[in-house]
Amino acid sequence: MPHRPTNSRPTNSRPMPMDPIAEARRQWIEHGWTDAVPGMTLVTSVNRAQQLLVAPVEACLRPFSLSFARFEVLRLLAFTRDGRLPMKSAVKRLQVHSTSVTSTVDRLVRDGLVTREQHPTDGRATVLAITDAGRELVERATVALNERAFTGLDIDDEDAAELVRLIARMRKRAGDFEDPRPVAEPL
């Protein structure tokens, strides 16, 4: 079966005769903003790449009535041993503002996919729990994403791994995460 990229442009549009980011770069240089050229081209290129990567994900999740944010919360909960996680931990792991997670969880609760429970030891904290319906939905959505959005990308595996390494270095320098501490060998 021939390779059909999942992230290609819509069939009703044709590629532009030039690279608009290269043209923006030329304009930045022409206007004397040379110090900002590397940053502008990086931000603009990553933003466009993000659009190309997210479009098939959103299209794949649409039939499940899920946004990527809702999918991420469900998948995070489904990965836990008992389908539960304190809200504070979910916010940290998802790396988004707590207001965004709260809004996403509100919709998941409304749809019967997640419940909120009282934390067993902290009366002020909330625990999120995935429901059976939420678990079933996220499993089906994950299969669809794995088959239609996360494979067949317009980048080979080696280039994808290098890009992930480069972005991880940038994220680490920005304070996104630390290297894990070494784990002692068992006695």
Side-chain angles (χ1 to χ4, degrees):
M1 186 162 131
H3 171 70
R4 186 184 154 276
T6 57
N7 293 334
S8 37
R9 295 173 61 83
T11 54
N12 59 351
S13 68
R14 295 181 2 186
M16 294 184 68
M18 52 73 138
D19 179 357
I21 296 171
E23 174 58 17
R25 181 184 186 283
R26 187 187 71 72
Q27 291 285 348
W28 245 250
I29 292 169
E30 188 174 300
H31 284 80
W33 305 323
T34 54
D35 290 349
V37 167
M40 183 281 298
T41 55
L42 173 64
V43 169
T44 308
S45 295
V46 169
N47 188 55
R48 179 60 184 143
Q50 188 262 353
Q51 292 168 347
L52 293 169
L53 292 170
V54 169
V57 169
E58 289 175 346
C60 189
L61 290 173
R62 198 169 295 118
F64 299 99
S65 298
L66 290 176
S67 64
F68 193 58
R70 288 169 44 117
F71 170 81
E72 285 184 305
V73 171
L74 290 173
R75 187 72 269 165
L76 178 62
L77 291 171
F79 277 147
T80 65
R81 271 184 240 118
D82 64 352
R84 287 173 171 69
L85 192 66
M87 176 74 128
K88 188 175 181 178
S89 296
V91 168
K92 276 186 171 182
R93 291 183 185 172
L94 294 169
Q95 297 179 307
V96 294
H97 194 276
S98 61
T99 305
S100 297
V101 176
T102 299
S103 175
T104 299
V105 169
D106 287 346
R107 286 183 291 244
L108 291 168
V109 168
R110 180 197 66 209
D111 293 344
L113 303 171
V114 168
T115 60
R116 285 187 174 97
E117 301 174 350
Q118 188 68 40
H119 193 284
T121 59
D122 182 351
R124 297 169 295 158
T126 301
V127 172
L128 305 177
I130 192 167
T131 65
D132 290 342
R135 190 176 298 280
E136 187 272 330
L137 181 66
V138 78
E139 295 306 328
R140 287 189 301 120
T142 302
V143 168
L145 283 171
N146 286 340
E147 290 175 355
R148 292 182 258 153
F150 294 157
T151 57
L153 298 174
D154 291 337
I155 187 170
D156 66 43
D157 290 350
E158 188 177 305
D159 286 346
E162 179 62 17
L163 186 55
V164 168
R165 279 191 294 276
L166 290 170
I167 292 171
R169 281 201 307 259
M170 184 185 84
R171 291 176 47 229
K172 184 177 177 188
R173 286 183 199 132
D176 222 16
F177 64 93
E178 297 174 356
D179 285 332
R181 293 188 180 107
V183 177
E185 291 291 324
L187 300 176

